[in-house]
């Protein structure tokens, strides 16, 4: 109930203070985008580090293993929401828009695939120049 009261309060306040509501909306949008970019950067570095250390693995459940090992017998599992892989970055469930990397067994959701510039981090571990540049900048700034 409290959540609905807070929403109603925001609607009433935005009716009387439109400029303030617009500033609030822009602030929340920019904050959301800043956190999203930070999260993607963090996950990108984490995945590349795991690939370099050869420790990258995804926990798969029994229905997922059965569905992909024996697709003729267990292909029906996808219709019940079982046996679906998850995005390597954000853990979204597999759907029609999911990108399956042809070179490995990992999948990416549409948004993450677009954010990663259509490059699988497992198949292309050599693309670490971006990470080394940022780590060099952060280490040099820490020394100052």
């Amino acid at each position: 109930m409290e959540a609905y009261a807070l929403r109603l309060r925001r609607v009433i306040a935005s009716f009387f203070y439109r400029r303030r509501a617009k500033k609030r909306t822009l602030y929340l949008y920019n904050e959301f985008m800043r956190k999203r970019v930070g999260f993607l950067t963090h996950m990108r570095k984490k995945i590349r580090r795991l690939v370099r250390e050869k420790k990258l693995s995804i926990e798969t459940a029994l229905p997922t293993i059965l569905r992909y090992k024996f697709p003729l017998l267990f292909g029906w599992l996808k219709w019940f929401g079982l046996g679906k892989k998850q995005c390597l970055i954000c853990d979204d469930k597999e759907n029609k828009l999911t990108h399956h990397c042809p070179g490995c067994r990992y999948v990416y959701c549409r948004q993450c695939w677009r954010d990663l510039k259509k490059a699988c981090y497992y198949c292309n571990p050599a693309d670490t120049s971006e990470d080394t540049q940022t780590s060099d900048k952060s280490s040099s700034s820490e020394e100052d």
Side-chain angles (χ1 to χ4, degrees), residues 28-82:
L28 291 175
Y29 174 77
N30 290 331
E31 186 70 19
F32 172 75
M33 293 306 290
R34 194 173 324 120
K35 286 180 181 178
R36 177 173 171 76
V37 169
F39 172 74
L40 287 174
T41 304
H42 167 72
M43 289 304 292
R44 192 175 299 138
K45 288 178 182 178
K46 179 181 175 184
I47 289 171
R48 285 186 175 168
R49 181 178 45 82
L50 290 173
V51 167
R52 279 192 303 260
E53 296 172 359
K54 298 184 184 228
K55 293 181 181 178
L56 183 64
S57 66
I58 292 180
E59 297 176 13
T60 51
L62 181 62
T64 307
I65 295 169
L66 291 174
R67 179 178 165 220
Y68 281 94
K69 289 274 188 186
F70 309 104
L72 294 175
L73 294 174
F74 295 101
W76 54 270
L77 288 172
K78 68 180 175 183
W79 300 109
F80 295 104
L82 300 170

Side-chain angles (χ1 to χ4, degrees), residues 24-144:
R24 179 182 182 273
T25 304
L26 288 172
Y27 170 77
L28 291 175
Y29 174 77
N30 290 331
E31 186 70 19
F32 172 75
M33 293 306 290
R34 194 173 324 120
K35 286 180 181 178
R36 177 173 171 76
V37 169
F39 172 74
L40 287 174
T41 304
H42 167 72
M43 289 304 292
R44 192 175 299 138
K45 288 178 182 178
K46 179 181 175 184
I47 289 171
R48 285 186 175 168
R49 181 178 45 82
L50 290 173
V51 167
R52 279 192 303 260
E53 296 172 359
K54 298 184 184 228
K55 293 181 181 178
L56 183 64
S57 66
I58 292 180
E59 297 176 13
T60 51
L62 181 62
T64 307
I65 295 169
L66 291 174
R67 179 178 165 220
Y68 281 94
K69 289 274 188 186
F70 309 104
L72 294 175
L73 294 174
F74 295 101
W76 54 270
L77 288 172
K78 68 180 175 183
W79 300 109
F80 295 104
L82 300 170
K84 292 187 175 186
K85 291 185 177 181
Q86 294 179 336
C87 175
L88 187 62
I89 304 292
C90 66
D91 291 334
D92 277 351
K93 292 281 187 181
E94 179 180 18
N95 59 25
K96 293 178 184 176
L97 302 175
T98 302
H99 175 77
H100 293 264
C101 181
C104 62
R105 65 184 185 274
Y106 297 110
V107 298
Y108 298 94
C109 69
R110 184 179 186 185
Q111 185 68 37
C112 291
W113 185 245
R114 191 178 316 137
D115 290 342
L116 297 175
K117 298 178 180 129
K118 300 182 180 181
C120 176
Y121 284 160
Y122 185 78
C123 297
N124 302 321
D127 294 338
T128 58
S129 60
E130 183 180 306
D131 291 338
T132 56
Q133 289 174 358
T134 56
S135 63
D136 290 342
K137 289 179 185 176
S138 64
S139 63
S140 65
S141 65
E142 290 173 359
E143 294 173 358
D144 292 337

